[in-house]
Amino acid sequence: IAGITQAPTSQILAAGRRMTLRCTQDMRHNAMYWYRQDLGLGLRLIHYSNTAGTTGKGEVPDGYSVSRANTDDFPLTLASAVPSQTSVYFCASSRDARTEQFFGPGTRLTVL
Amino acid sequence: AQSVTQLDSHVSVSEGTPVLLRCNYSSSYSPSLFWYVQHPNKGLQLLLKYTSAATLVKGINGFEAEFKKSETSFHLTKPSAHMSDAAEYFCVVSDQSVAGGYNKLIFGAGTRLAVHP
């Protein structure tokens, strides 16, 4: 049982490049989330999806987009990366919009 | 608005001694509360959760937490620390008031637990 997988584990990216962070869960959870974790700021929600086919904006959505074509996958795209998007990104999922969330191992992204 | 305050940014204990990580919350609703642990360069792992059932909640790895409504507290404890418990611990409240029905989690700033031999 893998739970939640994220890829890549880490990435160094030039500013202005497009990047997609991948997230897959095998728990058949309806809801999925993307967070970024920054020192001193804790975890902040970027985007969420309560069910396949729907998405919503979290606290810090600017510069990011998501899609939810199926239950298992929830990719996060940076259309044109900027240095302020250097962070550790965590994907999470929950059975529904009211239950506890389970987190993936994270992707460490550095934008130069 | 809901909020979470972790009262200690760093806690240091000796192996085999008790652990106490303190958390206070504010909430206009009957809250759902969680403790997560994050080991270095790892994701967050759910330790335990409170969702209005028993006020004393038992979690994994010997941790437990007690919900005290009168004190608005949800402190995490463990009778005997192990070296492997060294990590960052986050107290989290679920904000049930968010319009649109998404599960907004409000994270405390974290407590870094060090365990010495």
Side-chain angles (χ1 to χ4, degrees), chain B:
Chain B
Q2 304 199 47
S3 66
V4 175
T5 302
Q6 292 184 242
L7 300 170
D8 307 291
S9 59
H10 291 84
V11 170
S12 182
V13 301
S14 298
E15 190 175 22
T17 64
V19 176
L20 170 64
L21 305 183
R22 298 182 295 166
C23 173
N24 287 111
Y25 70 92
S26 67
S27 173
S28 302
Y29 301 83
S30 180
S32 292
L33 292 158
F34 310 87
W35 275 98
Y36 284 87
V37 61
Q38 185 178 28
H39 288 90
N41 300 312
K42 300 290 186 183
L44 282 77
Q45 181 183 18
L46 180 67
L47 276 179
L48 49 79
K49 63 178 180 179
Y50 167 78
T51 54
S52 75
T55 56
L56 182 63
V57 182
K58 294 188 182 297
I60 62 172
N61 301 335
F63 284 95
E64 62 182 36
E66 186 171 8
F67 173 72
K68 291 186 177 181
K69 186 175 182 178
S70 61
E71 299 177 9
T72 61
S73 69
F74 191 56
H75 301 334
L76 182 70
T77 60
K78 182 173 181 177
S80 177
H82 294 161
M83 297 295 289
S84 60
D85 294 328
E88 185 104 19
Y89 292 80
F90 293 94
C91 183
V92 181
V93 64
S94 178
D95 186 349
Q96 305 283 337
S97 66
V98 174
Y102 79 87
N103 188 6
K104 180 176 181 177
L105 297 186
I106 299 170
F107 287 80
T111 298
R112 185 165 297 277
L113 175 65
V115 182
H116 301 288

Side-chain angles (χ1 to χ4, degrees), chain A residues 30-52:
Chain A
N30 287 312
M32 297 186 74
Y33 314 84
W34 274 106
Y35 294 86
R36 58 177 292 173
Q37 184 179 31
D38 302 288
L39 196 62
L41 297 175
L43 278 86
R44 294 178 292 170
L45 182 66
I46 304 171
H47 284 287
Y48 68 94
S49 168
N50 282 342
T51 188

